Amino acid sequence: MTSTTLLHLDSSISPSGSVSRALTARFADAWHARHGTAGRDRYRYRDLAADPVPAVLAAYDALGRRTERKGILPLDDIGRLAEGPDEAHEWTLSRPLIEELRAAGTLLVGSPMYNYTVSAGLKAWIDRVTFPGVHHDPETGEPLLRDTRVVVVAVRGGGYTPGAPRAHCDFQVPYLRAYFDRIGVAPEHLHVVTAELTRAADVPALNALQPLAAESLAAAEAALDELAATL
């Protein structure tokens, strides 16, 4: 794994005016400035809304169950377990995304909150890359992503910080923390940056909270600048 490889995922369904897209672009621009031409050669970008990852199907599940019964396998061995064209196709869709994630030194995830959780596009990517055993070493069982740095940019139109009336409705950040922990990302390498109340200017019920929204956005920008200077 190289420290100068950035995999950048956006998942907002809004092509313009998206706070999550603006924030991930800010991080990526700063990261590029730090790493120069070599960094740009190792930059990968996926727009999970404009170019969605196909949802997993029954054949993916069948191949996954067959693989899981055999333990942790090399990727080539998984491909050889595929039975029939449907399973082979599902693996063909999955393997490049898995390899792309495994090769990333830093993963940047733009995650707007939709209906209290992550977008359908991001969830489809998560389902596709989370094939049994693929993020652990077949020989040692050690997590392959233990040194991967993950920057999650979690954007929410309302307020979900502890103490807020809807704090208990946040199934976005806790889910992403649990997910990256499950696939072996070390806790110290998972960085979650939140921007809250991003709809304060255009939702009348939130208008009075615009100063808090501005503070939250400024804090998110500063946190991302700091991370981009070190990762």
Side-chain angles (χ1 to χ4, degrees):
M1 179 183 300
T2 174
S3 62
T4 54
T5 302
L6 174 64
L7 174 58
H8 175 181
L9 307 178
D10 275 328
S11 64
S12 170
I13 60 174
S14 302
S16 61
S18 165
V19 176
S20 68
R21 288 179 182 272
L23 288 173
T24 61
R26 183 187 184 98
F27 177 94
D29 288 345
W31 188 90
H32 286 315
R34 179 167 181 256
H35 291 281
T37 302
R40 292 189 180 278
D41 291 341
R42 297 183 180 277
Y43 172 73
R44 301 290 181 269
Y45 177 74
R46 287 191 177 273
D47 188 330
L48 299 176
D51 186 17
V53 170
V56 297
L57 300 177
Y60 177 100
D61 178 63
L63 178 59
R65 289 173 182 268
R66 190 176 308 113
T67 300
E68 197 165 24
R69 287 193 288 268
K70 294 183 177 295
I72 301 173
L73 299 177
L75 300 186
D76 287 342
D77 289 358
I78 295 173
R80 286 190 281 269
L81 286 178
E83 296 182 356
D86 290 344
E87 290 188 14
H89 179 63
E90 287 293 301
W91 182 240
T92 298
L93 292 174
S94 302
R95 180 169 181 168
L97 298 175
I98 292 166
E99 291 178 326
E100 187 175 64
L101 174 57
R102 285 175 27 164
T106 300
L107 171 66
L108 173 64
V109 181
S111 175
M113 176 187 278
Y114 293 140
N115 300 313
Y116 304 130
T117 189
V118 301
S119 68
L122 179 55
K123 183 59 166 62
W125 179 86
I126 286 172
D127 289 344
R128 181 62 66 181
V129 301
T130 316
F131 198 87
V134 295
H135 299 305
H136 289 78
D137 188 300
E139 295 183 1
T140 66
E142 290 296 311
L144 297 173
L145 303 181
R146 61 187 178 277
D147 295 323
T148 305
R149 283 68 49 87
V150 177
V151 179
V152 172
V153 180
V155 172
R156 301 93 92 73
Y160 299 88
T161 54
R166 292 190 178 179
H168 65 288
C169 295
D170 180 7
F171 300 101
Q172 175 201 31
V173 170
Y175 166 70
L176 290 170
R177 286 190 181 280
Y179 171 70
F180 285 113
D181 176 73
R182 176 196 169 191
I183 63 172
V185 174
E188 64 270 23
H189 293 323
L190 175 60
H191 308 278
V192 179
V193 176
T194 59
E196 301 249 321
L197 300 165
T198 60
R199 299 292 308 282
D202 65 303
V203 175
L206 299 177
N207 283 170
L209 301 176
Q210 290 184 66
L212 292 177
E215 289 179 12
S216 180
L217 180 60
E221 291 173 339
L224 289 169
D225 290 347
E226 183 177 351
L227 285 169
T230 59
L231 297 183

